[in-house]
Amino acid sequence: MVEKHSDIYYELLRAGLWDKTPIMSSSPNWAYILETALADQTYGFVFYAALRLEKGQTPPMKMVSKFNYHLMRVAELNKSRDRQVVALFTKLRAEGIEPVLMKGQSLAALYPIKGLRYSCDIDIYVNKPDFGKACKVINSMADAKALKQSVWTDKHYHIKINSTLIEMHFVSGNRRIKKLA
């Protein structure tokens, strides 16, 4: 059985991620749970698990309202991210570049309920020979301010488009991205 606030938070997070019923011996400090979940962008998972708690352990209605508000915002933001991914992929493919979506947005498809977690960026991978061309395509979608604030590193390129951070990565060496369909 878990006792400390942080242990309860992690129990709720695990239960939400793995679609299990959380097991707790004490009632959560819901203010701490919400604050931590907001900081970690995990409130969807935590709230999803909280819905399966026994009576007396569930969040008070005021806290349920706060969780619902954040979940609705996450759903809206994820829809926006999904539209951006489609637009980016359409433009890249029109230039003969086969992109691969990794991390946040692609992992969201594996969650018990779509939209339980907000992804703060979009991570796209392309083959190394296509990297420069892909960055030009992405740049064509950005405004002057975004172009000025963009960042190149030895491993990827960062640029903000419509308040979303796009991280363009490349696959190097003998590994190549192949079109599956």
Side-chain angles (χ1 to χ4, degrees), residues 45-59:
F45 298 116
V46 170
F47 184 60
Y48 182 62
L51 294 175
R52 287 178 268 141
L53 288 170
E54 293 181 18
K55 194 171 185 171
Q57 290 184 321
T58 57

Side-chain angles (χ1 to χ4, degrees), residues 129-146:
D130 296 328
F131 185 71
K133 187 176 177 183
C135 290
K136 287 179 184 173
V137 170
I138 299 294
N139 284 345
S140 73
M141 300 171 74
D143 60 25
K145 182 180 176 184

Side-chain angles (χ1 to χ4, degrees), residues 18-149:
W18 303 117
D19 202 14
K20 304 286 183 195
T21 299
I23 301 168
M24 299 183 299
S25 61
S26 58
S27 292
N29 173 334
W30 286 108
Y32 170 85
I33 299 295
L34 178 62
E35 180 182 328
T36 305
L38 286 171
D40 293 347
Q41 298 288 323
T42 58
Y43 41 87
F45 298 116
V46 170
F47 184 60
Y48 182 62
L51 294 175
R52 287 178 268 141
L53 288 170
E54 293 181 18
K55 194 171 185 171
Q57 290 184 321
T58 57
M61 280 310 292
K62 183 178 179 181
M63 207 54 69
V64 169
S65 295
K66 288 181 181 183
F67 272 113
N68 277 328
Y69 167 78
H70 290 291
L71 285 175
M72 289 187 322
R73 284 209 14 91
V74 165
E76 291 171 20
L77 291 168
N78 280 331
K79 283 179 186 175
S80 173
R81 293 284 182 276
D82 290 345
R83 285 190 299 273
Q84 287 178 296
V85 168
V86 169
L88 288 166
F89 274 47
T90 300
K91 286 191 176 270
L92 289 167
R93 286 181 173 145
E95 295 296 323
I97 300 167
E98 187 57 35
V100 173
L101 181 65
M102 299 290 281
K103 301 182 186 180
Q105 288 301 107
S106 62
L107 290 174
L110 303 174
Y111 299 151
I113 296 175
K114 186 170 173 51
L116 288 179
R117 185 163 191 259
Y118 170 66
S119 180
C120 60
D121 64 1
I122 297 173
D123 291 277
I124 299 173
Y125 287 71
V126 297
N127 289 314
K128 189 171 185 178
D130 296 328
F131 185 71
K133 187 176 177 183
C135 290
K136 287 179 184 173
V137 170
I138 299 294
N139 284 345
S140 73
M141 300 171 74
D143 60 25
K145 182 180 176 184
L147 291 169
K148 188 175 180 179
Q149 295 174 343

